Amino acid sequence: MSAHIFVVEDEKPIQTLLRYNLEKEGFKVSSSENGEEALSLIKEKKPDLILLDWMLPDLSGIKICQYLKHDKKVKDIPIIMLTAKGEEEDKVKGLESGAEDYLTKPFSFPELLARIKAMLRRVKPTAVNEEIIYLDLKVDRVAMKVYRQNKEVSLGPKEFKLLDFLITQPKRVYSREQLLEQVWGEDINVESRTVDVHITRLRQAINIDGSKPLIRTVRSAGYSLEN
Amino acid sequence: MSAHIFVVEDEKPIQTLLRYNLEKEGFKVSSSENGEEALSLIKEKKPDLILLDWMLPDLSGIKICQYLKHDKKVKDIPIIMLTAKGEEEDKVKGLESGAEDYLTKPFSFPELLARIKAMLRRVKPTAVNEEIIYLDLKVDRVAMKVYRQNKEVSLGPKEFKLLDFLITQPKRVYSREQLLEQVWGEDINVESRTVDVHITRLRQAINIDGSKPLIRTVRSAGYSLEN
DNA sequence: CAGAAGTGTTACAGATTTGTTAAATGTTTA
DNA sequence: TAAACATTTAACAAATCTGTAACACTTCTG
């Protein structure tokens, strides 16, 4: 669980509480107490999810929502709105202004956590699960370990990320370009042939004696986990 | 575990139950059945944490909260509010009035205990645990001592905090940034390489003859306790 | 079938990351 | 205040990882 959550909340106790609990869950947390600051920080840090308090000293939550949803770079980041009252009207406005979900204060943390996980599962499946298993292959994201047939196999950083990405959607074929973008990074300048080499290394690493190859090549398309 | 908890609760059975269970956990417990008395006792005894029932015969929980939060000497004592079910609005007021957390009655004791420990860990980490043991390594937070194979090893302050943090979730890999944030402090400006040096010293310190290394390096990711 | 295009694999130079030591600076304690 | 202890940074060696080129091999296309 390695998602980055941004908390916009001016009430210190609640902010502290949220930060503490979210970090305990393994999330990376950034926060801000006012709208202006939040806006610039969000654009800079690009979190995976935003918890947004409805009532803020300067900009209202609704305004922040609107700004964010009109900014191409951040408009896809899901927003969970936190409101003080169960006022239907606020809820409507909140959802209209682009918030993906909505929670009434005070809320129980487990309830919030459930919503967060649900949201992240939808938007960034890789961020939620700690252990992903496919056939006889297991990826433990917390311990950063990989097992094949219950035996640990050691991977280099790139190999790990590559497998970690491939296993989120087994059988799905990813192009070299997609893999470069997801595993290497957006603006990195690397030849697509490089992917091939790492696939080879990954194949060798997760190959236990005569076990199935597990990485499928799709000619002129890319690679997928499965075989 | 030597924290002092003050319980403000007018329902006798619940108070008894709380006292019994908390004492069994090793906490020192004081209590009061009405708000006036609670206020003066709290100022006198300065407990580490307050469990506050929302519904009291004389002063309401919210009033107590407000009084406490405006008194310099006790305003930093965390308050966990206990409310009856369905009093949504009350919870809002509770948090607004300064309570750090709240719990809806009826609650399970383990749940309450978890919240208490979480809260204390934040406010007064030394008061909470206990003893954490992982393999042949033992961290005694109260005595601030560390043992390997039942032999005490001496650590510097940073080394202790580092190990103390790592051991809370063995096998979990923490990035240097996470460690800096958790062990050094949020806005401290220190190079991430510093972590390496402390890890080295920690390794040397907890290394008894030919024992397992216990601290794993995950290249390009960070460190974890385990090996 | 021959050529073209796509892929697997290897080797290697260069880049990155980490372990460790030592020296400089800061902090506590007697 | 001096001595002891802690902390941070710099520096260098060692370990590991990475990207590319080169070549072999396979699959496709006409």
Side-chain angles (χ1 to χ4, degrees), chain B residues 138-168:
Chain B
K138 183 168 81 178
V139 174
D140 183 333
R141 284 180 165 149
V142 178
M144 302 262 258
K145 285 183 176 179
V146 174
Y147 302 84
R148 182 92 199 262
Q149 293 174 4
N150 294 318
K151 286 187 278 286
E152 186 179 349
V153 297
S154 95
L155 302 182
K158 279 266 154 38
E159 285 140 54
F160 182 85
K161 280 183 95 172
L162 190 52
L163 177 59
D164 186 38
F165 180 66
L166 287 173
I167 205 173
T168 55

Side-chain angles (χ1 to χ4, degrees), chain A residues 17 26 106 142-145 157, chain B residues 91 100 172-173 216 220-221 226:
Chain A
L17 206 73
V142 175
M144 304 260 250
K145 286 184 172 181
Chain B
K91 289 177 213 157
E100 268 72 14
R172 174 171 194 148
V173 177
R216 177 170 74 115
S220 83
E226 177 229 5

Side-chain angles (χ1 to χ4, degrees), chain B residues 183-222:
Chain B
V183 177
W184 273 254
E186 192 142 17
D187 32 44
I188 283 291
N189 185 36
V190 171
E191 314 231 344
S192 78
R193 242 10 251 301
T194 298
V195 177
D196 299 14
V197 178
H198 284 272
I199 288 282
T200 294
R201 283 206 283 267
L202 180 54
R203 274 181 173 137
Q204 289 167 349
I206 64 174
N207 176 53
I208 302 260
D209 59 276
S211 54
K212 282 189 179 180
L214 273 196
I215 294 180
R216 177 170 74 115
T217 303
V218 180
R219 192 172 229 261
S220 83

Side-chain angles (χ1 to χ4, degrees), chain A residues 1 11 13-14 16-17 19-20 23-26 29 84 105-108 110 142-145 152 157, chain B residues 88 91-92 95-96 100-102 118 121-122 169 171-173 181-182 186 216 218-221 226:
Chain A
M1 186 113 55
E11 294 175 66
I14 298 182
T16 310
L17 206 73
R19 173 180 283 274
Y20 174 78
E23 283 180 346
K24 206 175 62 182
E25 286 294 323
V29 180
K105 282 195 285 190
F107 43 80
S108 75
V142 175
M144 304 260 250
K145 286 184 172 181
E152 186 179 348
Chain B
E88 285 292 310
K91 289 177 213 157
V92 181
L95 291 172
E96 276 174 357
E100 268 72 14
D101 199 357
Y102 80 94
R121 198 167 287 125
R122 182 162 66 76
Q169 285 194 249
K171 302 194 183 191
R172 174 171 194 148
V173 177
E181 198 173 314
Q182 297 293 323
E186 192 142 17
R216 177 170 74 115
V218 180
R219 192 172 229 261
S220 83
E226 177 229 5

